[in-house]
Amino acid sequence: VNRGSSKLHAGDVANFRGAWVKDLFSVSDYEILSKWDDTSGGKCFIPIPPSSNSSNQENVRDVPCKFFINSGKCDVHDCKFRHDFDDLKSSRLSFVSERKHQRLLEHEAEFDLTDLKSGSKRFEQYASWIENKYGREYLQSGIILDVAGGRGNLAFELSVKRGLNCQIVDPRPQKLKRWQYKYLKDHPESVAPIHHTTMFDSSFFQNAGILLKDVRLITGLHPDEATETILDTGLEFNIPVSIVPCCVFSSLFPERKLKSSDVPPTSYHQFVQFLKEKSDKVESDLLPFVGKNQILYTKILP
């Protein structure tokens, strides 16, 4: 997680908060107690790896690989976690059940485990939610802005597969996957979404030549630092918004304060509450996938 000046580096001493999943400790947050640069006197940090023994290696091998469970594959060279699952679905359900028991998953207890999808399905699920919530006729009448869209997976679902005018706003260039290139080739009538390689700020609409009256929705799926900006822009210009918050980046926004307690939001739950407190127009819903799956949205104004 990028935490600006509070980013953790090798040699730093920190307190970690999280929960155990079998023999692995999953970190949800941390606090730096001292930084290596401040205490080392200019010396390079030389790591001392733990001693290896066969029992430790065997214990690691008993832990399932989260990448393999979520996507059915693992690109980590010589991964030390288990991949040889005879039944991937049952392994996935077991893994999710264990994590839910440790209260590491957000809101997934709201769903039957058999209905939960892996995080790789979040773009398809979110696109369906958007179309069902706002209606196809309304969305077809204007532009959808996918802010911090990254590789453009959500925009691909909305624009290419559903024929909506969804445009990406992200300074990073779009990078289609192999299956997306194949889909476009097999569907020549489809067109890849427009990509604005710029930041989403107060000057975006003028610079992009987009009229506010033409925008039907501003959305973001795990849009990181842009999360609050998306909501603020929608509330300011009365444009419907839907966002799925993820990272907090509390160190980058020290001025944030919860109205209910006057404390800065540093955890995911506090950040969601902070966003909800911006307006009574903000409502919430959940998507059935593994991970940060809470949607904050505003409705279409009459």
Side-chain angles (χ1 to χ4, degrees):
V1 176
N2 181 7
R3 298 182 56 166
S5 59
S6 297
K7 185 177 180 180
L8 193 64
H9 296 86
D12 295 347
V13 178
N15 276 336
F16 294 92
R17 292 180 287 275
W20 284 98
V21 181
K22 288 191 175 180
D23 297 324
L24 295 180
F25 186 73
S26 181
V27 177
S28 60
D29 198 7
Y30 64 83
E31 176 187 5
I32 296 179
L33 302 179
S34 64
K35 299 183 74 66
W36 177 258
D37 288 345
D38 298 333
T39 61
S40 63
K43 296 180 180 178
C44 294
F45 176 75
I46 301 176
I48 303 176
S51 60
S52 60
N53 56 65
S54 58
S55 61
N56 285 341
Q57 293 299 319
E58 291 175 358
N59 289 337
V60 170
R61 290 290 183 182
D62 287 336
V63 178
C65 171
K66 65 178 182 180
F67 300 110
F68 186 78
I69 288 178
N70 279 329
S71 64
K73 64 179 182 178
C74 174
D75 296 327
V76 178
H77 177 67
D78 194 26
C79 180
K80 294 180 174 56
F81 301 101
R82 199 171 74 242
H83 304 85
D84 54 336
F85 303 136
D86 294 330
D87 187 345
L88 183 60
K89 184 175 181 179
S90 63
S91 298
R92 180 174 294 159
L93 294 179
S94 175
F95 180 68
V96 170
S97 178
E98 291 173 4
R99 291 190 67 197
K100 189 184 73 170
H101 180 70
Q102 295 290 345
R103 302 183 64 83
L104 292 180
L105 301 183
E106 304 297 336
H107 311 293
E108 291 168 11
E110 300 290 333
F111 303 100
D112 188 285
L113 289 180
T114 57
D115 295 329
L116 280 175
K117 305 297 182 182
S118 71
S120 63
K121 299 293 184 182
R122 63 189 182 275
F123 303 105
E124 180 181 347
Q125 288 188 322
Y126 188 36
S128 296
W129 182 92
I130 288 174
E131 188 173 9
N132 292 333
K133 175 61 65 176
Y134 293 100
R136 185 169 184 81
E137 182 178 356
Y138 169 77
L139 295 172
Q140 281 183 319
S141 66
I143 299 170
I144 302 172
L145 295 177
D146 176 20
V147 179
R151 296 177 66 116
N153 292 318
L154 176 61
F156 193 93
E157 291 287 338
L158 290 169
S159 182
V160 177
K161 288 190 174 182
R162 290 169 170 78
L164 301 171
N165 184 6
C166 181
Q167 303 182 15
I168 306 167
V169 185
D170 195 312
R172 299 168 294 179
Q174 185 179 2
K175 187 177 181 181
L176 295 177
K177 297 179 180 178
R178 183 177 301 175
W179 73 265
Q180 292 172 326
Y181 279 115
K182 185 177 185 304
Y183 188 95
L184 288 170
K185 183 178 179 180
D186 294 340
H187 299 79
E189 74 282 359
S190 299
V191 180
I194 296 173
H195 192 137
H196 304 276
T197 52
T198 184
M199 300 290 288
F200 186 69
D201 52 27
S202 58
S203 63
F204 167 75
F205 293 100
Q206 181 178 355
N207 294 339
I210 295 177
L211 300 178
L212 291 171
K213 66 180 183 65
D214 292 334
V215 180
R216 295 295 173 266
L217 177 70
I218 309 175
T219 187
L221 175 55
H222 299 168
D224 294 337
E225 297 100 323
T227 303
E228 185 178 5
T229 302
I230 295 172
L231 182 57
D232 288 344
T233 302
L235 293 173
E236 179 181 357
F237 297 111
N238 293 321
I239 300 173
V241 166
S242 68
I243 50 177
V244 182
C246 184
C247 300
V248 181
F249 295 100
S250 57
S251 63
L252 298 182
F253 303 95
E255 72 283 356
R256 290 173 176 167
K257 291 290 178 63
L258 284 164
K259 294 180 180 178
S260 55
S261 59
D262 198 36
V263 300
T266 57
S267 70
Y268 169 77
H269 294 289
Q270 289 177 328
F271 184 43
V272 169
Q273 181 61 33
F274 168 77
L275 296 170
K276 286 182 177 180
E277 289 179 353
K278 285 180 173 289
S279 172
D280 56 9
K281 298 177 182 177
V282 179
E283 302 185 35
S284 64
D285 200 355
L286 300 173
L287 288 171
F289 67 76
V290 177
K292 299 295 193 303
N293 60 350
Q294 185 170 10
I295 308 170
L296 300 182
Y297 69 97
T298 58
K299 294 180 177 178
I300 303 170
L301 296 175

